[in-house]
Amino acid sequence: MEQRYSRQTLFSPIGTDGQRKLQHAHILIIGAGALGTSTAEMFTRAGAGKITIADRDYVEWSNLQRQQLYTEEDAQNRLPKAIALKEKLEAINQDVRIKAHVTDVTPWNLEELIGGVDLMLDATDNFEIRMIMNDISQKHNIPWIYGAVVGSYGISYTIIPGETSCLHCMMEQVPLGGLTCDTAGIISPIVQLVTAHQGAEALKILTGNRDALRENLVSFDLWSNQHSSIDVQMLKNDNCSSCGTSPSYPFLDYQNQTRTAVLCGRDTVQIRPSSTRKPDLKRTAEDLSPLGEVEQNPFLLSFSTGANRLVLFQDGRVLVHGTSDIAEARSLYHRYFG
């Protein structure tokens, strides 16, 4: 086992003491797409003690271009990403404990997921979840590392509660609109650059080398050969409702949560029901079979009708494929799932 991590422990800032700390660390990765698969593999190979993965989606053909470890078989079977990733990671390093959650991250289940967590890694595709992560980070004093990619552009920033500016300090409200992977596409090399920055910062934190942390927000565009490093510490605001002197954690409030979302890179709307009651997938499949094509595995049910496909997960969420119109998606949801 010492030989397995020998090249990492030979790096003097980590050494055997840092490796020991890493092997007792618990990392929570939110999202199992391009960023999530890369960072999860990185820390599985590095020998982290435990990695918890939370993702709401399943593997599709368009994912294979940039989301490492997934296979054509995963896409054919529409395997939930968290489950597929867990299987691949356990084949790489059986000593790392991998916990997979097929779920849409909310303030309530994130409170449960962070038990014993030393660090959160952002691998999401929307700012609502990032702002929830930001408030959870401040509330429970857990560092997290922001990362985002679109087109050939990437950005990363390390947030340490009580020390750095938080994400809310830098944004008065959750950004709306702008480029997404749906409108601008994405190339694989930018994913690796962002996760390299996230991974290096995470290693510093988990091996006890916080003095080496990068304090600036970094961004880069690989296609136009641009790179910037911005000092955002001046933006830290004592009146910030997330990290200020009297925080209220606004993004953990139910009133601030969106129940529908247009998913990045897909003609798809997610609908998250208010009820937490788990659906009976077998019974639902029987009810829908006369109305269209039904496919089912232990984790989800897929129902195709006309130009639309609706995917029902065990937690009650539904992905409505074939539309980006929320009103149309709601109509289809209520038509087939009440």
Side-chain angles (χ1 to χ4, degrees), residues 100-308:
H101 296 270
V102 183
T103 185
D104 190 24
V105 172
T106 67
W108 306 279
N109 62 21
L110 189 52
E111 289 275 8
E112 299 175 357
L113 292 173
I114 59 169
V117 166
D118 299 293
L119 174 71
M120 293 189 294
L121 287 174
D122 168 29
T124 71
D125 61 2
N126 72 83
F127 264 92
E128 180 183 2
I129 297 178
R130 289 183 179 117
M131 300 306 276
I132 293 171
M133 291 178 67
N134 186 72
D135 275 9
I136 285 285
S137 164
Q138 300 301 322
K139 181 179 178 181
H140 295 280
N141 195 33
I142 300 173
W144 74 288
I145 303 174
Y146 162 57
V149 289
V150 64
S152 58
Y153 176 81
I155 187 170
S156 181
Y157 177 56
T158 302
I159 298 170
I160 308 295
E163 298 180 23
T164 68
S165 302
C166 79
L167 195 62
H168 195 188
C169 286
M170 295 184 284
M171 302 173 184
E172 293 184 1
Q173 59 183 5
V174 178
L176 299 175
L179 293 176
T180 68
C181 57
D182 188 27
T183 57
I186 184 172
I187 59 173
S188 181
I190 192 61
V191 173
Q192 306 309 317
L193 185 54
V194 170
T195 56
H197 279 268
Q198 287 184 299
E201 291 288 279
L203 273 176
K204 296 172 189 177
I205 292 172
L206 298 174
T207 60
N209 289 281
R210 291 199 180 196
D211 57 336
L213 286 171
R214 179 191 66 241
E215 296 182 351
N216 291 357
L217 181 150
V218 292
S219 65
F220 16 77
D221 190 315
L222 286 178
W223 208 259
S224 60
N225 305 307
Q226 296 178 348
H227 178 278
S228 65
S229 179
I230 305 171
D231 183 358
V232 294
Q233 297 313 310
M234 65 183 67
L235 299 179
K236 185 169 176 55
N237 180 6
D238 288 341
N239 295 319
C240 175
S241 56
S242 294
C243 73
T245 55
S246 299
S248 60
Y249 312 118
F251 296 97
L252 304 184
D253 189 326
Y254 174 84
Q255 299 302 321
N256 290 324
Q257 306 310 311
T258 300
R259 308 306 294 178
T260 59
V262 179
L263 299 192
C264 174
R266 322 237 304 271
D267 194 23
T268 301
V269 174
Q270 174 180 263
I271 298 178
R272 189 172 65 218
S274 56
S275 171
T276 58
R277 180 172 55 88
K278 291 185 177 181
D280 185 336
L281 296 183
K282 182 179 180 180
R283 173 70 179 274
T284 305
E286 292 173 352
D287 292 341
L288 293 176
S289 291
L291 306 176
E293 181 181 353
V294 177
E295 298 177 61
Q296 185 182 353
N297 63 35
F299 311 100
L300 55 83
L301 176 153
S302 174
F303 169 63
S304 298
T305 175
N308 300 103

Side-chain angles (χ1 to χ4, degrees), residues 44-57:
T44 298
R45 294 187 182 279
K50 182 178 180 180
I51 299 174
T52 297
I53 302 158
D55 188 275
R56 65 188 179 184
D57 211 347

